[in-house]
Amino acid sequence: MTGPGVDASNAEQHAQWGGDLGLLWAARAEQFEASAAGYDAPLLEAADLAPGLHVLDVGCGTGSVTRKAAGAVAPGGTATGVDISAPMLQVARDRSAGFPGVAFLEADAQVHDFGRRYDRVVSRAGVMFFGDPPAAFANLARALRPGGRVVFVVWRSLAENAWMHDLTTALTGQPPPPPPPGPGAFALADPDRARALLEGAGLAEVDVRPCDAPVVLGRDVEEAFGLVARMMAGALAGLEPAARERAVAALRAVLGRASGPGGVTLGSAAWLLTGRAP
Ligand SMILES: C[S@@+](CC[C@H](N)C(=O)[O-])C[C@H]1O[C@@H](n2cnc3c(N)ncnc32)[C@H](O)[C@@H]1O
C-alpha cells in the first residue's frame, strides 16, 4: 500500500511503521510480541470471546493477539488483523501459517470500510497512532455488528510507564517531559479523552479502567539491551562519544536492576477501554 488508501493525516505514521520502525518490529517480532504479552489475558477476557465470533484486531503488528483471538473463537470464528505496516504484516502472515481462521489486511484502520461484520474489535496498543482519532474510532465502531464490543489496551501516561520513562531518563540524563499532543504511544493517556472518543463514536456502556502488567524487554540483559539499543539507535548516534558511553552505561544499569527470574521486566500501566455498539 502506498499513498492511496492511507488518509493524509496518517502519512507520517505510515512512513514510520512501513519504514525503519516497522522493519525493526518485524526483525524482532518475537521480542516485541512477548514484551506486552502480560496484557493479552485481560484483553481477551474482557472481549469474552466464544466459538463462532468474528474479531478484528486493529494495529495487529506481527499478529500475536490475532492468533490468540483466532484460537479463542475456534471452531467457526475468524480473527482478522489490520495494520498499516507492510513489513510487520509480512511477518504476521509468516508466523500465522497453519492457524485456522486467521487473515490479515493491509489498510489504514481510520478510513478502511470494514463493513458492519465484526462481533469484537480489539487492539493491544494499536489505536493511539491515528491522525484523526474521532474519525478513526467512529470508523471502528462502524465495523461492529449491533451489540458487538470494542476492547482496547492503550498506555497510560509516560510518567506511569517505567519501561519508557526510566529508559528515556537513562538515555538523556533527565526525566522526559510529557510527550506533545498528537499520534503516538501515549496519545490516549488521558482517560477523559479516551472515554469521549469512544462515546463520540456512538458506543454505549463505555468503561475506562486501569490495567497493569510488566513489560518484558528480554530474557536477560544482553537480549534486552539489544532491543533497547536498536530502538534508541538514532538518539544514541546523535550523542558525543563520552555522552554515548554514559548513556549506554546508564541504560545497562536500568536493565540490570530490572533483571530477575522472569527476565528483564519494567513496570507499565495501561487503560482497558471497552464499549458496545447499540
Ligand atoms: C505499538 S504497535 C502494536 C502492535 C501489536 N498490536 C502488538 O501489540 O504487538 C502499533 C501498531 O499500530 C499500527 N498502526 C499505526 N497506525 C495505523 C493505522 N492508521 N491503521 C492500522 N494500523 C496502524 C502500526 O503499524 C503498528 O503495527
Side-chain angles (χ1 to χ4, degrees):
M1 181 174 59
T2 51
V6 177
D7 191 75
S9 65
N10 290 323
E12 204 177 305
Q13 290 294 320
H14 181 226
Q16 287 186 25
W17 291 106
D20 286 350
L21 184 58
L23 288 167
L24 169 60
W25 277 66
R28 296 250 177 187
E30 206 170 321
Q31 221 173 337
F32 276 114
E33 287 183 359
S35 68
Y39 287 100
D40 294 353
L43 171 68
L44 296 174
E45 233 165 76
D48 192 21
L49 299 180
L53 293 184
H54 299 285
V55 182
L56 178 66
D57 178 17
V58 181
C60 64
T62 53
S64 57
V65 168
T66 321
R67 289 186 289 277
K68 286 184 185 177
V73 297
T78 63
T80 301
V82 59
D83 205 284
I84 206 170
S85 167
M88 291 168 78
L89 283 172
Q90 181 58 53
V91 174
R93 291 189 174 105
D94 292 347
R95 286 170 77 78
S96 305
F99 277 79
V102 173
F104 293 100
L105 172 66
E106 186 181 342
D108 178 352
Q110 180 176 302
V111 293
H112 183 78
D113 181 1
F114 293 104
R116 210 172 269 283
R117 70 164 64 100
Y118 293 102
D119 302 292
R120 302 286 186 269
V121 175
V122 305
S123 179
R124 186 183 82 176
V127 293
M128 302 89 79
F129 304 94
F130 299 123
D132 185 346
F137 285 99
N139 193 47
L140 296 179
R142 277 194 294 275
L144 285 170
R145 290 176 174 162
R149 278 185 260 159
V150 302
V151 183
F152 301 139
V153 168
V154 303
W155 298 122
R156 299 214 301 276
S157 69
L158 170 56
E160 292 167 281
N161 275 283
W163 62 276
M164 183 56 91
H165 182 271
D166 294 7
L167 292 173
T168 311
T169 303
L171 176 75
T172 62
Q174 52 199 350
F186 301 100
L188 297 180
D190 176 351
D192 295 336
R193 177 160 189 260
R195 173 181 291 280
L197 282 167
L198 265 60
E199 288 176 349
L203 295 167
E205 296 168 21
V206 171
D207 188 40
V208 179
R209 97 182 77 120
C211 178
D212 297 354
V215 158
V216 186
L217 291 169
R219 284 167 293 194
D220 54 33
V221 172
E222 276 323 299
E223 192 178 74
F225 182 72
L227 181 71
V228 169
R230 285 284 308 275
M231 285 168 70
M232 298 186 157
L236 284 168
L239 296 174
E240 295 298 327
R244 184 158 58 240
E245 212 172 292
R246 185 207 56 75
V248 166
L251 286 168
R252 283 188 175 279
V254 170
L255 298 175
R257 283 194 296 275
S259 180
V264 178
T265 60
L266 283 165
S268 79
W271 297 119
L272 190 67
L273 311 178
T274 51
R276 190 179 56 76

